[in-house]
Amino acid sequence: MLRLLVVLLVVLALFVAAMFAFAGRNTVKEPVRMEKAVALENLAN
């Protein structure tokens, strides 16, 4: 029983460490300008 408890605590500690690692990542992306062709009749409205 003690070995199972130790394994569960290690897995829980690894999970919490992974959550902190993913939370600290910088994943900001700059917006990309997309140009789209528009028909001339749509511009009149």
Side-chain angles (χ1 to χ4, degrees), residues 7-36:
V7 169
L8 287 176
L9 287 175
V10 169
V11 169
L12 182 64
L14 288 174
F15 179 75
V16 170
M19 295 297 280
F20 275 105
F22 282 125
R25 287 179 36 174
N26 186 8
T27 57
V28 175
K29 283 185 152 181
E30 293 297 324
V32 177
R33 182 179 175 131
M34 300 292 290
E35 294 188 13
K36 182 178 173 184

